[in-house]
Amino acid sequence: MRYRRLDLNLLVALDALLSECSVSRAADRLCLGQSAASSALGRLRVHFNDPLLVQVGRRLEPTALGLELLPKVRAALALTREVVDAPLSFDPASCDRQITLVASDYVAGVLFPALSRALARVAPGIRLSLRDMPVTRDGDVVSEALDHRRSDCVIVPQRRLNPAYPHVPLMSDRLCCIVCAQQTQFAEGLSLADYCAAEHVVREFADGQNLAMDAAHLHESGVVRRVAVAVESFVLMPEFIVETARIATVFHRQAQRFAQRYPLRIHPAPLPFPEAVQVLQWHPYQEQDPAMRWFRGLLLEQARLLDQPGG
């Protein structure tokens, strides 16, 4: 490659020649024949209109221009190595970047606070932009998030996985029920008859289409709920449970967090729900991005920590 008529490969030769002050030693350093090293010196002399190395007795000495160029050439090559080796030497502590994540408010509430705290400790320059799951016409939230909304990662239930994008299982959970702790009729647990007879608080998207996993499974099982309140966010559900006889079906990790803030009782679901697996997906062009590879690893690590005591 040429820049202002200079073959940039000659900068490597210039560094070797000025450092060694010997054509033969420079040739050895460059793994070239001596004639090739001499040719490179000749081309450099023509470009700079200066001999660069001159004979002084039995040795070569750099000219004034040669002495001036040497530290600049070394700095240029050092910067070039830094650019070339960047994918191999990612430093989270010095990363300055915004990362956009798309996930349900369940994942955001359970996983992202710990993720944010970890970033504050090891990568304070990384900023998170958290977005809720998009509503799409065709149901492909992965393509919508990654291609159309230019997000960096999307976390979806396994049933919504798009196999055209790289993916890895991130976390799993189970569904359970929450009731108001003051309601004595649910003190001993929930039967299926109780579940069907009670009023329910459910999560629905803005268009009124309930895309939650529990709703899909209940529909397939032929179980009908009496929906009293539909909200767009999981985190609103406890507000409509407290001081009522209503029931909500939520993920267990989320229920545990709700019970720390509200007078709630957690019961196993009275019918078997499938395991809820959340999958992390990203765009293929980011497969080798060192920052995103590191970030995905951190996400997986934080998800694993959820399974540990106190997680």
Side-chain angles (χ1 to χ4, degrees):
M1 179 179 176
R2 292 183 176 275
Y3 181 73
R4 295 189 178 182
R5 301 186 302 279
L6 175 66
D7 182 351
L8 295 182
N9 292 316
L10 289 175
L11 292 179
V12 179
L14 180 59
D15 176 49
L17 287 161
L18 294 175
S19 298
E20 299 292 343
C21 290
S22 166
V23 175
S24 61
R25 289 198 300 272
D28 291 341
R29 178 169 164 176
L30 297 168
C31 299
L32 298 173
Q34 187 165 337
S35 61
S38 295
S39 174
L41 178 58
R43 293 163 65 190
L44 286 163
R45 283 169 168 168
V46 170
H47 177 81
F48 289 105
N49 192 27
D50 186 272
L52 299 174
L53 289 170
V54 294
Q55 194 76 35
V56 178
R58 300 178 62 180
R59 66 182 186 278
L60 292 175
E61 293 286 350
T63 64
L65 179 59
L67 290 171
E68 182 182 346
L69 287 174
L70 181 56
K72 296 178 181 179
V73 171
R74 286 177 175 171
L77 293 177
L79 182 59
T80 300
R81 284 192 293 271
E82 184 178 327
V83 172
V84 172
D85 294 341
L88 304 177
S89 58
F90 171 71
D91 179 14
S94 61
C95 182
D96 182 8
R97 182 167 179 168
Q98 176 170 300
I99 295 178
T100 301
L101 290 167
V102 172
S104 68
D105 61 317
Y106 152 67
V107 174
V110 168
L111 180 60
F112 289 175
L115 172 68
S116 178
R117 290 190 290 270
L119 287 173
R121 291 193 303 270
V122 300
I126 293 181
R127 303 171 302 283
L128 292 179
S129 176
L130 309 179
R131 298 177 182 173
D132 199 1
M133 301 285 284
V135 177
T136 65
R137 293 183 179 179
D138 60 3
D140 187 358
V141 296
V142 176
S143 177
E144 176 70 23
L146 298 178
D147 282 328
H148 301 293
R149 304 201 180 188
R150 304 295 183 186
S151 303
D152 294 297
C153 297
V154 58
I155 300 170
V156 294
Q158 191 169 38
R159 71 185 187 279
R160 298 198 174 278
L161 180 148
N162 186 329
Y165 299 83
H167 57 275
V168 63
L170 181 64
M171 54 186 282
S172 63
D173 206 342
R174 67 184 187 276
L175 287 167
C176 64
C177 296
I178 54 174
V179 297
C180 178
Q182 300 158 347
Q183 297 296 318
T184 57
Q185 70 266 42
F186 300 136
E188 300 302 321
L190 283 175
S191 67
L192 183 57
D194 292 333
Y195 190 82
C196 294
E199 292 185 334
H200 287 254
V201 179
V202 301
R203 184 192 191 280
E204 288 185 352
F205 279 103
D207 61 359
Q209 182 182 9
N210 193 325
L211 301 177
M213 175 181 150
D214 59 327
H217 183 70
L218 290 172
H219 178 74
E220 294 169 0
S221 303
V223 176
V224 179
R225 286 184 297 192
R226 298 172 56 206
V227 177
V229 181
V231 295
E232 292 183 39
S233 171
F234 284 111
V235 298
L236 291 175
M237 298 173 83
E239 298 284 356
F240 297 92
I241 296 293
V242 173
E243 298 183 11
T244 76
R246 296 172 186 149
I247 298 171
T249 306
V250 298
F251 295 106
H252 191 259
R253 288 193 178 100
Q254 200 169 39
Q256 290 177 310
R257 285 163 172 76
F258 289 158
Q260 294 173 357
R261 304 175 186 174
Y262 298 90
L264 298 174
R265 184 178 289 114
I266 302 172
H267 288 304
L271 70 165
F273 285 100
E275 181 184 22
V277 177
Q278 300 288 331
V279 180
L280 173 64
Q281 297 208 254
W282 59 94
H283 205 283
Y285 83 88
Q286 289 187 319
E287 183 73 22
Q288 300 303 321
D289 183 322
M292 292 309 304
R293 290 181 67 179
W294 176 86
F295 180 77
R296 292 194 296 269
L298 182 66
L299 260 176
L300 291 168
E301 177 186 354
Q302 294 302 311
R304 284 193 294 269
L305 292 175
L306 290 176
D307 293 323
Q308 296 183 4

